[in-house]
Amino acid sequence: MSDADADIEDGNRDFIRDTIREDLRSGRHKAVVTRFPPEPNGYLHIGHAKSICLNFGIAGEFGGRCNLRFDDTNPAREEQEFIDAIQTDVRWLGFDWGDDLHHASDYFEQLYAWAEHLIEAGKAYVDDLSAEEMREYRGTLTEPGRNSPHRDRSVEENLDLFRRMRAGEFPDGARILRARIDMASGNMNLRDPALYRILHAPHPRTGTNWCIYPTYDFAHGQSDAIEGVTHSLCTLEFSDHRPLYEWFIENLPVPAQPRQYEFSRLNITHTVLSKRNLAQLVDDGHVAGWDDPRMPTVSGLRRRGVPAEAIRDFIGRLAITKSDGVVEAAMLDHCIREHLNANVERRMAVLRPLKVVIENYPEGQTEELDAVNKPQDPDSSTRKVPFAREIYIERDDFMEDPPRKFFRLGPGREVRLRFAYFVTCQETIKDADGNVIELRCTYDPETRGGNAPDGRKVKGTIHWVAAETAATAEVRIYDHLFADPSPGAERSFLEDLNPESLEVLSDCRLEPSLSASNGQTFQFERLGYFAADLDSTSSQLIFNRTIALRDTWAKTKAKN
Ligand code: ATP
Ligand code: MG
């Protein structure tokens, strides 16, 4: 089995769901409560979607509830913009937290009281070591750490110092509150981990009320307990934190006993899924923003035209296991294509236009032809597309000297214009440099709708757009943001960026119905799937290619 296969299996039976089934059956829990706990320091990416689908999915399947909880314990990096975007994205993915929108910051007062509880029990102390000294004292994976000289301060002194930390008497970094566990523990997370840091920074929700903030480890499990979370699901890198999670739950008078379970994170080829790296792409201008359609963010995928259903389907196919793997980007593409193929309507668009004049079609005449919206659906509706003497076809659909297998247009050749007529190329018009700039064709009026009454066949059918009534648009063609399948594996991930991830086609012609397309995604006949971009207006239409019709990436890679 390849790594990719290892991470793919039927999503509905996995060790987490099995545990929950057992917990409900044995009566350990009456109802399941999960939470999705994003830190609002960036936009959600498709890795988060795995966690969202898992947490909200499980709550739905077992009739429980899933809270959305902002893990907003580090105001230095957190912003309201991210808080808003996260809510938009979770809703768009199809999930609802009802009244259960929470924030770790809602619990700051309680967490503080619990910190004092640990101090009073002799299980926490204020340390004055500098960050660098603390690192030295911490030891390494092979060497035990050493006790800080401040480890044995009296309860009174610790309480006094901790209260003065809260009161703002000390500058950032001067002191921290640590748990007093075991500096020789084989698990580095138990070597007197930090509970509170001094940070004189205003918080989006608590303003300037606090100048000390709890660490992730101290806030997370206790927030779970306050909310009555039964199964706290996180990714594998937190496995080593579980003993600490449990230590807090055992040593504090918490109202419930949540348990932590870890599952494999989602990794995808040609993709980076780390907020830090994604933020760098945005901040350094390598992409247009968090929602650039090349970004693996939920907002980027949405802007590209990827439906939420396709993302949920993709996530549903991933294994929830205890070992990390890498999923092929092609698998996500497959889910997107499969969904769009089944669901979206078709339209005609010409991305690289070549003008065609149909010489025997009466000047000034136009007619409305019937075009099928969903040929894959026998009950498909139809729409009218205008036909006229001057049309555009795709440059690629004409060759002056075509090879034998080229079934499209060439001098003297006849093809079918989809939903319209048979046309034959009579003459090629070139510019001074010898480039073909126009074709002169004739049409057979007997072939209206695309069939010849004499049973005559043509080998090719091409799409087209009538010139005068066409809408003009910019179309953005995207490729993988990273050319390398494992960006950053060998060098900086920035060096693995694909220089050809965006191609802008600025002179595209669309059938007129597309000028009011409302953010829907369409299949442009023979070209791929496209969705109107956010920035599209009635005077400047912009379409994003959501995905090509077929996977051409694998083929081009194989050739190299
Ligand atoms: P990143 O590593 O991308 O910076 P993070 O884990 O710091 O992300 P959080 O906002 O803390 O981001 O994540 C919220 C939840 O989403 C966590 O429970 C985390 O385990 C989960 N999550 C993050 N990335 C992935 C991923 N690639 N696959 C599955 N779950 C993920
Ligand atoms: Mg995190």
Side-chain angles (χ1 to χ4, degrees), residues 38-75:
E39 186 183 351
N41 60 350
Y43 280 61
L44 297 180
H45 54 61
I46 191 160
H48 295 115
K50 180 174 180 183
S51 177
I52 293 168
C53 291
L54 182 68
N55 280 294
F56 282 94
I58 282 178
E61 285 157 45
F62 293 95
R65 103 181 120 78
C66 179
N67 301 350
L68 175 62
R69 183 204 311 145
F70 286 103
D71 172 21
D72 55 349
T73 52
N74 185 358

Side-chain angles (χ1 to χ4, degrees), residues 37 39 41 71 77 216 237-238 275:
E39 186 183 351
N41 60 350
D71 172 21
R77 300 193 305 171
Y216 168 89
E237 69 271 22
F238 291 101
K275 268 187 284 187

Side-chain angles (χ1 to χ4, degrees), residues 35-39 45 47-48 50-51 233-235 237-238 263-266 273-276:
R35 87 288 168 265
F36 173 65
E39 186 183 351
H45 54 61
H48 295 115
K50 180 174 180 183
S51 177
L233 313 178
C234 60
T235 35
E237 69 271 22
F238 291 101
F263 64 94
S264 46
R265 348 166 35 90
L266 173 62
L273 289 182
S274 136
K275 268 187 284 187
R276 202 169 39 82

